């Protein structure tokens, strides 16, 4: 693939409602959009999911901008040519960490490659399903009444699986309330690392509610702690923040730290590493994975949908429709929920959506172009 030009846009997307987790609340979501242009005007798009501050990860939209412009893009644009998308991670491997920045540019090459081959991205990466199961991730609410009404509205809209964010003081009560009101709705919780083993009594209580899983209960570096916790619970433990690549997945398996992995391309450095984790955890070990989200725009969402079509994905994903997040998305058509609580895999090439350049230009606070030296 010839690389004619790489452009990075910094956009700020206003969420329809504030999203609150154990590490803070967001209403305005930054995103870096990466556009790679090939020879004949073809283009590919990727998204950097780093947040406003270093809370979920050490990366922020500003560190990602710096690392992209100073280190990552020069490694690719300087060559003027990239053979295959799967080689991008190898070309970027000299840079340690900064997985979200890497993923944004790697995804753009996958989208471009699939478009050049006139194939939907999901088929290009070995996906097998025509629709992906959509769940919704619900932030921490101000009261149980608000929680019940917010969840009620999502169920009304067709979502079939609910995940709620928890933190100390907002855990057993909301789970009990939801199980009482909606006993048949599959439910799981996500702590974003807000607990320690001292909270064992809370987890023992949560263990009574047949939750699908408990996501990232402990510190992101504490694989041994998760292994210890797992020995006390029947509810499966799912890791998110702790799994930064396939090496972490191997360590988690050897320690018995998790039964489930939430795969996010941003967290692990792109689609290639996501597929490697899927192949190890689901295909080789026979354990469950699903695809998580980071409140992506329609661009990042396209990459999530593609990953969710992989054969080993066996739980509903944190991939909701565009209108769960934003009044207006930056792709056409927006991602929509089908009647059965799924999102159909697209038939068009690449991520399967038209990316609205004019809208992106309008939303941009910063833009920079990179070209090979003539
Ligand atoms: O931990 O899964 C998480 C959003 C931002 C940061 C971390 C997480 C999340 C979500 C949102 O849960 C999932 C979505 O995009 O719908
Ligand atoms: Mg999570």
């Amino acid at each position: 693939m010839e690389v004619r030009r790489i452009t990075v846009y910094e956009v700020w997307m206003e969420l329809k409602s504030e999203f609150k987790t154990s590490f803070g609340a967001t209403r305005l979501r930054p995103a870096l959009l990466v556009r790679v242009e090939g020879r004949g005007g073809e283009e590919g798009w990727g998204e950097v999911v780093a947040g406003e501050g270093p809370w979920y990860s050490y990366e922020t939209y500003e560190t990602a901008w710096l690392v992209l412009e100073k280190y990552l893009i020069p490694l690719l644009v300087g060559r003027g040519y990239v053979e295959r998308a799967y080689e991008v991670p190898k070309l970027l491997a000299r840079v340690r960490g900064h997985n979200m920045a890497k993923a944004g540019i790697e995804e753009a090459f996958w989208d471009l490659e699939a478009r050049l081959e006139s194939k939907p991205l999901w088929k290009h990466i070995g996906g097998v399903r025509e629709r992906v199961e959509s769940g919704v991730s619900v932030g921490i609410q101000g009261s149980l009444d608000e929680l019940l009404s917010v969840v009620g509205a999502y169920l009304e809209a067709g979502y079939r699986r609910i995940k709620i964010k928890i933190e100390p003081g907002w855990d057993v009560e909301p789970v009990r309330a939801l199980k009482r009101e909606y006993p048949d709705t599959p439910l799981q919780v996500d702590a974003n690392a807000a607990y320690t083993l001292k909270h064992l009594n809370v987890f023992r209580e949560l263990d009574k509610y047949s939750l699908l899983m408990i996501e990232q209960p402990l510190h992101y570096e504490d694989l041994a702690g998760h292994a210890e916790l797992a020995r006390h619970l029947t509810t499966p433990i799912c890791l998110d923040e702790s799994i930064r690549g396939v090496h972490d997945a191997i360590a988690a398996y050897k320690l018995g730290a998790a039964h489930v992995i939430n795969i996010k391309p941003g967290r692990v450095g792109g689609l290639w590493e996501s597929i490697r984790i899927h192949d190890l955890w689901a295909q080789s070990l026979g354990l469950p994975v699903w695809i998580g989200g980071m409140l992506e725009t329609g661009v990042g969402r396209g990459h999530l949908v593609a990953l969710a079509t992989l054969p080993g994905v066996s739980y509903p994903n944190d991939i909701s429709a565009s209108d769960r997040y934003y009044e207006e998305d930056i792709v056409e058509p927006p991602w929509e929920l089908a009647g059965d609580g799924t999102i159909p895999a697209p038939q068009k090439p690449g991520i399967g959506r038209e990316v609205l350049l004019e809208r992106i230009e309008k939303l941009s606070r910063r833009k920079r172009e990179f070209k090979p030296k003539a």
Side-chain angles (χ1 to χ4, degrees):
M1 285 178 281
E2 197 172 304
V3 185
R4 274 277 169 89
R5 176 164 64 171
I6 299 179
T7 314
V8 185
Y9 299 88
E10 176 191 317
V11 299
W12 287 75
M13 300 283 291
E14 188 178 349
L15 289 161
K16 280 169 124 177
S17 58
E18 182 182 85
F19 188 72
K20 185 169 178 231
T21 70
S22 61
F23 55 76
T26 321
R27 183 72 202 256
L28 258 188
R29 176 88 174 95
L32 304 186
L33 298 167
V34 182
R35 176 184 185 217
V36 177
E37 288 167 271
R39 192 210 307 269
E42 313 87 351
E43 59 181 39
W45 286 87
E47 178 167 343
V48 175
V49 297
E52 190 174 6
W55 321 128
Y56 168 87
S57 149
Y58 64 83
E59 290 186 84
T60 73
Y61 72 100
E62 289 171 297
T63 70
W65 184 281
L66 173 81
V67 170
L68 275 166
E69 78 174 358
K70 193 161 177 189
Y71 303 104
L72 298 175
I73 291 175
L75 283 170
L76 300 177
V77 91
R79 311 167 84 244
Y81 196 82
V82 170
E83 195 77 48
R84 304 289 299 175
Y86 73 76
E87 286 171 339
V88 171
K90 277 177 246 165
L91 297 171
L92 303 180
R94 286 179 59 203
V95 174
R96 183 183 297 198
H98 297 281
N99 284 349
M100 294 176 177
K102 287 173 176 168
I105 190 160
E106 191 242 22
E107 287 178 356
F109 277 92
W110 281 107
D111 183 32
L112 174 62
E113 187 170 88
R115 287 182 200 252
L116 286 170
E117 295 186 12
S118 305
K119 272 197 289 192
L121 177 61
W122 64 275
K123 288 191 180 162
H124 185 54
I125 63 171
V128 295
R129 46 185 113 227
E130 301 280 341
R131 45 196 61 254
V132 307
E133 277 190 77
S134 174
V136 65
S137 172
V138 180
I140 292 167
Q141 304 295 311
S143 67
L144 293 177
D145 282 346
E146 281 170 77
L147 175 69
L148 291 175
S149 96
V150 167
V151 167
Y154 286 134
L155 295 175
E156 195 66 32
Y159 293 103
R160 299 264 181 91
R161 183 229 66 181
I162 300 294
K163 156 171 141 180
I164 62 162
K165 295 291 188 178
I166 58 169
E167 66 182 358
W170 178 265
D171 39 41
V172 178
E173 286 291 314
V175 165
R176 184 184 301 135
L178 285 172
K179 277 289 174 187
R180 190 185 306 136
E181 191 80 9
Y182 309 109
D184 302 325
T185 299
L187 179 67
Q188 64 195 63
V189 297
D190 184 358
N192 287 110
Y195 295 81
T196 71
L197 283 171
K198 291 198 183 120
H199 295 99
L200 188 57
N201 57 334
V202 173
F203 295 112
R204 285 214 161 103
E205 206 47 46
L206 289 174
D207 209 22
K208 297 175 183 165
Y209 290 92
S210 310
L211 298 171
L212 292 179
M213 66 191 80
I214 299 174
E215 182 175 335
Q216 198 66 45
L218 311 177
H219 193 276
Y220 71 98
E221 289 172 306
D222 194 7
L223 289 182
H226 283 97
E228 173 69 27
L229 181 59
R231 286 192 276 277
H232 293 280
L233 304 179
T234 57
T235 310
I237 289 182
C238 170
L239 289 178
D240 175 352
E241 286 93 318
S242 289
I243 307 296
R244 297 154 303 182
V246 75
H247 295 114
D248 286 331
I250 293 168
Y253 176 71
K254 294 208 165 185
L255 285 166
H259 182 68
V260 189
I261 293 182
N262 165 350
I263 299 178
K264 292 181 181 172
R267 198 190 64 228
V268 305
L271 300 189
W272 185 246
E273 193 71 7
S274 299
I275 295 165
R276 292 223 298 160
I277 295 171
H278 162 274
D279 291 356
L280 168 85
W281 201 262
Q283 306 289 78
S284 301
L285 300 172
L287 294 168
V289 300
W290 52 282
I291 308 302
M294 293 290 293
L295 313 173
E296 282 86 347
T297 73
V299 168
R301 195 159 305 285
H303 291 276
L304 301 181
V305 168
L307 283 174
T309 67
L310 292 175
V313 172
S314 54
Y315 276 108
N317 308 284
D318 276 353
I319 308 176
S320 310
S322 294
D323 72 359
R324 177 260 177 269
Y325 309 93
Y326 304 108
E327 256 352 302
E328 247 187 293
D329 207 337
I330 55 168
V331 298
E332 263 295 314
W335 295 98
E336 281 174 344
L337 207 58
D340 60 353
T342 66
I343 293 179
Q347 296 307 322
K348 294 207 180 114
I351 61 170
R353 288 295 186 272
E354 184 197 344
V355 180
L356 302 176
L357 191 56
E358 254 178 56
R359 215 175 123 59
I360 291 170
E361 294 269 3
K362 225 181 279 165
L363 289 167
S364 286
R365 292 195 193 170
R366 251 201 298 192
K367 168 183 171 183
R368 186 162 169 198
E369 293 184 4
F370 305 81
K371 284 183 179 171
K373 293 200 182 69

